[in-house]
C-alpha cells in the first residue's frame, strides 16, 4: 500500500480549491517529520492521475490554478448541470422574497427599516437570506444603537441572472390620482351618461 500516495490523495480531496505541490510537501513534511523528496511527490501524483483515468471513476485528477484537484469528468456534465439547475430553481418563500426585494432596492438598510416597510418581524427571513448568502452585513448605521446594515451579494446577482444592481427592474410608479382609489368609476360614468332633467 502506498501510504504517501494515500496521504496526497486525501490532501487533494479535502482541499477546497487546487492545492499546490509546495503545500502538499509542507503538510507531508510536518506529518512525517521529514523532508519528502519532490520526485516522490511527483511520482505519487502521476500514479493518482493514472488511477483516476479509469472508467470506473466519474471524476479524475486535474491540474488547475497551479495545483491539483479532483473534478468530475466531462461525460457527466449533463447530469450535474440538471442537478445544479434544479437546485437553483428552489424558490424563496414569499416573506424572504419581500425582504430581499426591500434590501435590494433600499440597501444599505437596517432590519428595523425593513420591518417598518413590511409591517412584520423579519428576523427569520433575514437569517434565511444570510444563510443562503444572498445578503450580507455591509456595516453599521450611525443612528442610535448602531444597527447592522444589510446589502445584497454577488450570489444575489448570480441567483437572479444580473451583472449589476442597475439591471434590477424599476418599480412601477403610481401616477394616478390617489383620491380615486376606492371610488366606483363605473357609477360615475353611468351618472354622466344619464340625460339631465
Amino acid at each position: 500500500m502506498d501510504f504517501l500516495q494515500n496521504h496526497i490523495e486525501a490532501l487533494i480531496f479535502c482541499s477546497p480549491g487546487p492545492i499546490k505541490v509546495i503545500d502538499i510537501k509542507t503538510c507531508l513534511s510536518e506529518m512525517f517529520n521529514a523532508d519528502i523528496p519532490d520526485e516522490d511527490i511527483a511520482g505519487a501524483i502521476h500514479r493518482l492521475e493514472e488511477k483516476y483515468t479509469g472508467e470506473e471513476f466519474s471524476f479524475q485528477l486535474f491540474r488547475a490554478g497551479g495545483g491539483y484537484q479532483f473534478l468530475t469528468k466531462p461525460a457527466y456534465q449533463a447530469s450535474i448541470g440538471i442537478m445544479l439547475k434544479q437546485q437553483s430553481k428552489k424558490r424563496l418563500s414569499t416573506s424572504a422574497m419581500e425582504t430581499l426585494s426591500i434590501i435590494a432596492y433600499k440597501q444599505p438598510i437596517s432590519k428595523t427599516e425593513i420591518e417598518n416597510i413590511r409591517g412584520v418581524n423579519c428576523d427569520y427571513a433575514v437569517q434565511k437570506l444570510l444563510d443562503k448568502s444572498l445578503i450580507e452585513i455591509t456595516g453599521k448605521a450611525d443612528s442610535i444603537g448602531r444597527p447592522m446594515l444589510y446589502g445584497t451579494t454577488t450570489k444575489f446577482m448570480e441567483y437572479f441572472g444580473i451583472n449589476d444592481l442597475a439591471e434590477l427592474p424599476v418599480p412601477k410608479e403610481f401616477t394616478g390620482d390617489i383620491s380615486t382609489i376606492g371610488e366606483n368609476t363605473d357609477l360615475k360614468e353611468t351618472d354622466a351618461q344619464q340625460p339631465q332633467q
Side-chain angles (χ1 to χ4, degrees), residues 71-197:
L71 297 171
T72 50
K73 292 177 179 175
Y76 303 98
Q77 286 180 352
S79 56
I80 293 167
I82 291 168
M83 181 197 70
L84 294 174
K85 186 178 174 184
Q86 288 174 347
Q87 287 180 343
S88 70
K89 284 185 175 178
K90 288 181 180 173
R91 294 179 181 266
L92 293 169
S93 67
T94 303
S95 63
M97 277 299 286
E98 288 174 1
T99 304
L100 185 56
S101 298
I102 292 166
I103 294 169
Y105 284 102
K106 300 282 189 179
Q107 61 185 307
I109 186 170
S110 70
K111 193 162 66 65
T112 305
E113 292 171 310
I114 298 167
E115 289 172 348
N116 287 341
I117 294 169
R118 285 198 65 219
V120 293
N121 182 290
C122 62
D123 286 344
Y124 182 78
V126 167
Q127 189 56 53
K128 277 292 177 192
L129 294 170
L130 284 169
D131 292 344
K132 289 181 178 286
S133 300
L134 293 173
I135 63 168
E136 63 186 352
I137 297 167
T138 58
K140 291 190 172 187
D142 293 329
S143 57
I144 297 170
R146 308 241 326 141
M148 288 184 282
L149 297 173
Y150 298 94
T152 55
T153 63
T154 51
K155 189 170 179 182
F156 163 83
M157 290 191 280
E158 290 170 17
Y159 188 89
F160 289 100
I162 60 173
N163 295 304
D164 191 274
L165 291 174
E167 294 178 31
L168 284 172
V170 179
K172 291 179 182 176
E173 293 183 14
F174 299 98
T175 54
D177 186 358
I178 196 161
S179 63
T180 63
I181 294 174
E183 291 182 8
N184 192 335
T185 53
D186 291 337
L187 286 176
K188 280 188 168 182
E189 288 174 13
T190 305
D191 291 344
Q193 290 170 1
Q194 287 180 353
Q196 298 276 339
Q197 292 185 357

Side-chain angles (χ1 to χ4, degrees), residues 14-80:
C14 291
S15 179
I19 184 170
K20 293 180 169 39
V21 172
I22 186 67
D23 296 324
I24 293 172
K25 183 173 183 171
T26 303
C27 290
L28 294 173
S29 296
E30 186 175 333
M31 171 73 189
F32 296 111
N33 199 21
D35 189 38
I36 310 298
D38 290 348
E39 56 269 19
D40 289 357
I41 295 172
I45 289 172
H46 181 68
R47 289 191 297 278
L48 286 170
E49 286 175 321
E50 288 184 336
K51 173 183 175 181
Y52 287 104
T53 54
E55 289 183 14
E56 67 269 28
F57 296 103
S58 59
F59 56 91
Q60 69 186 75
L61 187 60
F62 284 91
R63 194 173 199 314
Y68 292 90
Q69 71 179 140
F70 287 112
L71 297 171
T72 50
K73 292 177 179 175
Y76 303 98
Q77 286 180 352
S79 56
I80 293 167

